[in-house]
């Protein structure tokens, strides 16, 4: 039961982990995509805020430029009427320009030397600075100019609009000008034509970076803390927007305030520009709020997704855990407990199918048990029959081995008898025949032909050699006299060296003589191997190694001949080929040994003969 509980928990954990991971992957993927889109939208919104600031600065610059140009246009329109300085026409034109202007506190005419010719309102010529650089530029270039913020002898600060006055020959003969008071209500209201957000200020800056009009009165006549940068923008006539990081005046004490600043030069009056400034926290308040919402709701949605995934996993794994427990019980052989109803969903269908399988399996197991009992009875009967047959086969095999041993022993005895008879009787008869022929040849008279007797004597000697060789092949006396290893060496030297095959014999004899049947079986096996070398191998070198240990005897015969495929010999044994090798194996297996034949075409042949040492012949 503990193993079942462990398996149930492991399955539930594995399935729950997969469900949670897949659900989280889907929901968190969607949340990540939405978060990325939202974050991208917030970033775009921030860029849009900066772009709107720049467009606002451009709109204010256009508005200010239009307002200033309207007064400058009045002066330009009265310039032809002022050709006769001091005339009533010039006085009336100057009066009309002063009255119709929006910002001018005085209108005046100057001669080329800078002396005041006429002023509106009358009697207000005092304090007009006629040595302004802008006055000299207007005289020199002959184009309208707007002066920088100027003051005379520490008096009030003023701005001047200067328009060259030309005669009929287009020569500059004077200046038509107007004075603007930066602190005047009309000029101050120039920047208040639209509502401003909290903390937002609009500054009108001249070419020296001095604030000449502002929605914040405390900034009037101050030098901008970015005057060098703004002067560059005025010179290039380029709008710009960005964030500023540094110390700015915010209240009575200076502190670090990050601001958003937009700047735009006046379109036609390139010497002035509009600067709109607002603290970054206020300018990007909506953006920051959206970011906070994203950072808050993103993790909240992720936690909600995790809770949903855990709930979904539990709703699936709980009934499955019951099914796993029941399946484990069925696997353990418990088929009596029915599977509970798990509802009408897919898991419930699976449970009902598993219940049907349990019932069918229980019935099948009962049938199998009955069949098993019948099968066991039949197996016992067949086993008894097989054991009886095996015992008979074993007895027959033992009988075959005994008969084969007797056959080999009888064969060897018959060979020994035939060899003895050939050696003792037949060879002696033929030897006597050869001596008789020698005597006959010696007693023939002179002049009688001896050829036929000589041929007969040679044939008798060859027959005698053949009988000696046959006698030794049947049963070499050296095997009985000197033992196995000397007999092998003698036989190999006789059959191999006589055919020009190089031979090397090595032996490591330990102990006394081996049992006669072992020596005979090994000698016949070596004899068969040497015969195969002579007949089939075409070898040039043969190595024979004999080694004995207290447990076994090993003889290895190796040649460098053409070799053969042992499988082909086994396959053709039924046709008579390979019977010699089969005989070698048969002889050694009777003694409990074995023969290993290792050969391949073109690689020579190696025959290893191994038999247990057994008893020794004293």
């Amino acid at each position: 039961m503990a193993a079942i509980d462990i398996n149930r928990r492991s399955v539930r954990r594995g399935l729950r982990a997969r469900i949670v991971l897949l659900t989280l992957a889907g929901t968190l993927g969607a949340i990540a995509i939405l978060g990325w889109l939202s974050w991208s939208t917030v970033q775009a919104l921030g860029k849009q805020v900066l772009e709107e600031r720049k467009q606002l600065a451009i709109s204010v610059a256009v508005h200010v430029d239009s307002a200033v140009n309207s007064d400058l246009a009045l002066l330009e329109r009265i310039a032809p009427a002022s050709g006769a300085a001091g005339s009533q026409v010039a006085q009336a034109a100057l009066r009309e320009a002063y009255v119709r202007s929006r910002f001018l506190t005085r209108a005046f005419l100057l001669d080329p030397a800078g002396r005041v010719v006429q002023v509106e309102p009358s009697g207000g010529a005092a304090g007009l600075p006629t040595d302004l650089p802008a006055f000299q530029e207007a005289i020199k270039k002959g184009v309208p100019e707007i002066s920088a913020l100027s003051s005379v002898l520490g008096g009030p600060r003023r701005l001047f609009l200067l328009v060259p006055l030309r005669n009929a020959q287009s020569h500059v003969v004077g200046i038509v000008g107007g004075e603007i008071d930066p602190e005047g209500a009309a000029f101050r209201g120039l920047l208040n034509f639209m509502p401003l957000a909290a903390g937002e200020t609009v500054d009108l800056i001249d070419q020296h970076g001095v604030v000449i009009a502002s929605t914040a009165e405390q900034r009037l006549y101050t030098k901008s803390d970015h005057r060098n940068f703004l002067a560059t923008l005025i010179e290039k006539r380029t709008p710009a927007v960005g964030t500023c990081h540094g110390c700015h005046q915010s209240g009575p004490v200076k502190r670090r305030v990050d601001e958003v600043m937009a700047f735009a030069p006046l379109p036609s009056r390139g010497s002035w520009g509009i600067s709109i400034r607002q603290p970054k926290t206020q300018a990007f308040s909506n953006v920051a709020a959206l970011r906070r919402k994203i950072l808050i709701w993103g993790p909240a949605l992720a936690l909600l997704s995790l809770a949903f995934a855990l709930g979904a996993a539990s709703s699936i794994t709980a009934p499955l855990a019951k099914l796993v427990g029941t399946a484990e019980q069925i696997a353990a052989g418990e088929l009596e407990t029915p599977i509970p109803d798990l509802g009408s969903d897919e898991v419930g269908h699976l449970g009902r199918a598993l219940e049907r399988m349990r019932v069918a399996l229980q019935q099948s197991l009962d049938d199998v048990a009955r069949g098993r009992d019948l099968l066991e009875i039949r197996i016992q009967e067949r086993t008894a029959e097989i054991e009886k047959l095996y015992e008979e086969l074993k007895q027959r095999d033992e009988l075959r081995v005994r008969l084969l041993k007797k056959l080999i022993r009888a064969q060897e005895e018959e060979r020994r008898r035939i060899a003895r008879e050939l050696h003792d009787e037949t060879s002696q008869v033929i030897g006597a025949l050869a001596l008789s022929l020698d005597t006959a040849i010696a007693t023939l008279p002179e002049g009688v032909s001896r050829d036929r007797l000589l041929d007969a004597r040679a044939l008798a000697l060859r027959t005698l050699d053949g009988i000696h060789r046959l006698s030794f092949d049947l049963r070499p006396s050296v095997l009985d006299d000197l033992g196995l290893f000397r007999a092998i060496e003698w036989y190999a030297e006789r059959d191999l060296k006589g055919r020009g095959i190089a031979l090397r014999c090595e032996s490591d004899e330990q102990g006394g003589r081996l049992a006669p049947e072992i020596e005979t079986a090994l000698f016949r096996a070596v004899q068969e191997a040497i015969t195969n070398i002579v007949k089939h191998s075409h070898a040039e070198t043969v190595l024979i190694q004999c080694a004995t240990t207290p447990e076994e005897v090993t003889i290895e015969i190796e040649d460098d001949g053409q070799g053969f495929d042992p499988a082909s010999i086994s396959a053709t044994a039924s046709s008579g080929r390979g019977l010699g090798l089969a005989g070698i194996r048969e002889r050694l297996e009777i003694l409990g040994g074995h023969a290993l034949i290792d050969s391949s075409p073109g690689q020579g042949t190696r025959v290893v003969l191994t038999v247990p040492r057994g008893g020794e012949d004293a």
Side-chain angles (χ1 to χ4, degrees):
M1 293 300 294
I4 293 175
D5 292 338
I6 292 173
N7 291 333
R8 189 184 306 171
R9 288 196 297 271
S10 63
V11 170
R12 185 165 59 246
R13 284 199 300 270
L15 184 59
R16 178 178 296 175
R18 289 197 297 273
I19 294 173
V20 170
L21 287 177
L22 291 175
T23 306
L24 285 179
T27 55
L28 292 181
I31 292 173
I33 293 174
L34 291 177
W36 177 76
L37 292 175
S38 301
W39 196 262
S40 301
T41 303
V42 169
Q43 296 296 106
L45 182 60
K47 294 179 180 179
Q48 182 180 355
V49 169
L50 294 176
E51 185 64 24
E52 288 178 354
R53 291 290 169 186
K54 185 171 73 171
Q55 294 300 325
L56 180 61
I58 293 174
S59 298
V60 175
V62 171
H63 171 71
V64 172
D65 187 69
S66 175
V68 174
N69 282 341
S70 64
D71 283 1
L72 193 61
L74 289 174
L75 297 177
E76 289 177 344
R77 284 199 296 271
I78 69 170
S82 304
S87 65
Q88 292 182 354
V89 175
Q91 184 71 27
L94 197 62
R95 177 74 179 176
E96 181 182 2
Y98 169 72
V99 172
R100 294 179 58 187
S101 68
R102 182 176 177 181
F103 309 114
L104 298 182
T105 56
R106 285 188 292 183
F108 52 85
L109 288 175
L110 303 178
D111 62 11
R115 293 186 292 270
V116 178
V117 178
Q118 290 180 356
V119 178
E120 283 293 337
S122 301
L128 287 175
T130 58
D131 57 348
L132 294 174
F135 174 78
Q136 302 298 329
E137 289 292 327
I139 293 293
K140 180 178 179 182
K141 296 180 180 180
V143 295
E145 292 285 342
I146 299 178
S147 71
L149 192 65
S150 304
S151 62
V152 179
L153 300 177
R157 299 173 181 177
R158 297 290 185 266
L159 300 169
F160 295 96
L161 306 180
L162 305 173
V163 178
L165 183 63
R166 298 178 182 275
N167 57 14
Q169 289 76 29
S170 297
H171 295 152
V172 178
V173 295
I175 293 293
V176 178
E179 181 187 67
I180 298 175
D181 182 7
E183 299 182 24
F187 196 76
R188 283 186 314 200
L190 183 64
L191 303 179
N192 292 323
F193 73 97
M194 62 179 183
L196 299 177
E200 189 176 27
T201 59
V202 182
D203 297 336
L204 177 61
I205 301 173
D206 67 3
Q207 60 268 40
H208 299 298
V210 178
V211 178
I212 57 178
S214 176
T215 56
E217 294 184 1
Q218 69 271 17
R219 294 182 56 81
L220 190 62
Y221 303 144
T222 62
K223 288 188 177 182
S224 174
D225 41 11
H226 302 286
R227 54 185 177 274
N228 295 331
F229 176 67
L230 296 179
T232 302
L233 295 178
I234 290 174
E235 182 180 355
K236 293 182 178 180
R237 304 179 64 82
T238 303
V241 65
T243 55
C244 169
H245 307 280
C247 292
H248 304 292
Q249 187 70 31
S250 179
V253 181
K254 281 191 176 182
R255 59 184 178 87
R256 185 177 182 85
V257 178
D258 293 343
E259 291 185 332
V260 176
M261 185 174 68
F263 177 82
L266 271 60
S268 60
R269 304 270 72 86
S271 57
W272 290 357
I274 295 296
S275 172
I276 300 179
R277 304 170 68 157
Q278 186 180 15
K280 186 177 179 180
T281 55
Q282 296 176 353
F284 290 99
S285 59
N286 293 333
V287 176
L290 287 176
R291 285 178 179 167
R292 285 194 298 272
K293 289 180 180 179
I294 292 173
L295 294 176
I296 292 174
W297 282 103
L301 290 176
L303 293 176
L304 183 62
S305 300
L306 178 60
F308 173 77
L310 291 174
S314 297
S315 66
I316 295 175
T317 55
L320 287 179
K322 294 181 180 179
L323 287 180
V324 170
T326 306
E328 292 290 344
Q329 290 178 354
I330 293 174
E334 174 58 43
L335 298 176
E336 300 297 331
T337 304
I339 298 174
D341 187 11
L342 298 176
S344 59
D345 56 3
E346 288 80 358
V347 178
H349 290 308
L350 179 61
R352 286 188 288 275
L354 190 60
E355 172 64 16
R356 291 192 296 271
M357 184 190 72
R358 182 192 67 80
V359 174
L361 182 59
Q362 187 174 10
Q363 184 176 359
S364 298
L365 288 178
D366 294 339
D367 295 340
V368 169
R370 288 192 296 271
R372 184 181 62 240
D373 295 338
L374 295 175
L375 183 60
E376 286 180 355
I377 295 173
R378 292 182 180 179
I379 289 175
Q380 290 175 358
E381 294 175 353
R382 294 294 177 88
T383 301
E385 294 177 0
I386 291 173
E387 288 178 352
K388 183 178 180 181
L389 293 174
Y390 176 75
E391 187 64 28
E392 292 178 359
L393 182 62
K394 183 178 179 182
Q395 292 176 0
R396 289 184 181 182
D397 189 63
E398 291 176 354
L399 180 60
R400 184 187 67 85
V401 171
R402 288 198 299 270
L403 291 176
L404 190 58
K405 284 184 177 180
K406 288 183 179 181
L407 178 62
I408 293 174
R409 191 178 300 113
Q411 185 183 41
E412 290 298 328
E413 290 296 331
E414 185 65 18
R415 285 186 177 189
R416 184 181 294 109
R417 185 186 65 78
I418 294 173
R420 187 181 301 112
E421 289 181 356
L422 289 175
H423 183 271
D424 293 342
E425 297 178 8
T426 307
S427 61
Q428 288 181 6
V429 171
I430 295 176
L433 177 61
L435 290 176
S436 298
L437 289 174
D438 287 338
T439 302
I441 292 172
T443 59
L444 281 178
E446 293 292 335
V448 179
S449 174
R450 296 179 173 83
D451 294 339
R452 295 181 65 85
L453 291 176
L454 291 175
D455 292 339
R457 179 178 176 277
L459 179 59
L461 292 177
R462 284 199 303 273
T463 303
L464 183 61
D465 290 339
I467 290 174
H468 286 166
R469 186 179 187 89
L470 180 59
S471 175
F472 279 114
D473 288 341
L474 288 173
R475 182 68 182 183
S477 59
V478 68
L479 177 62
D480 298 325
D481 298 337
L482 300 179
L484 174 65
F485 303 116
R486 295 293 178 269
I488 290 174
E489 183 176 359
W490 167 82
Y491 187 83
E493 287 181 353
R494 192 198 73 177
D495 278 24
L496 296 178
K497 285 189 175 182
R499 289 173 172 81
I501 300 175
L503 172 68
R504 188 176 70 180
C505 290
E506 298 177 358
S507 63
D508 180 15
E509 298 183 46
Q510 294 183 8
R513 294 284 298 274
L514 302 173
E517 59 270 17
I518 295 177
E519 289 187 343
T520 302
L522 288 175
F523 179 79
R524 294 303 181 193
V526 173
Q527 187 179 29
E528 181 66 29
I530 292 175
T531 301
N532 289 335
I533 292 173
V534 172
K535 290 182 178 180
H536 309 295
S537 70
H538 304 288
E540 296 180 356
T541 303
V542 175
L543 171 63
I544 300 177
Q545 292 178 313
C546 304
T548 61
T549 65
E551 292 79 19
E552 63 183 13
V553 181
T554 302
I555 300 176
E556 183 176 344
I557 305 101
E558 185 175 359
D559 66 72
D560 60 353
Q562 62 184 8
F564 63 94
D565 184 5
S568 65
I569 297 298
S570 299
T572 59
S574 59
S575 63
R577 185 183 179 191
L579 292 178
L581 297 178
I584 292 175
R585 290 194 177 95
E586 187 75 16
R587 285 176 178 272
L588 297 184
E589 288 175 358
I590 291 175
L591 299 176
H594 61 273
L596 172 64
I597 301 173
D598 182 16
S599 180
S600 58
Q603 301 297 322
T605 304
R606 177 171 169 264
V607 178
V608 181
L609 310 174
T610 303
V611 294
R613 187 179 180 93
E616 296 180 354
D617 188 18

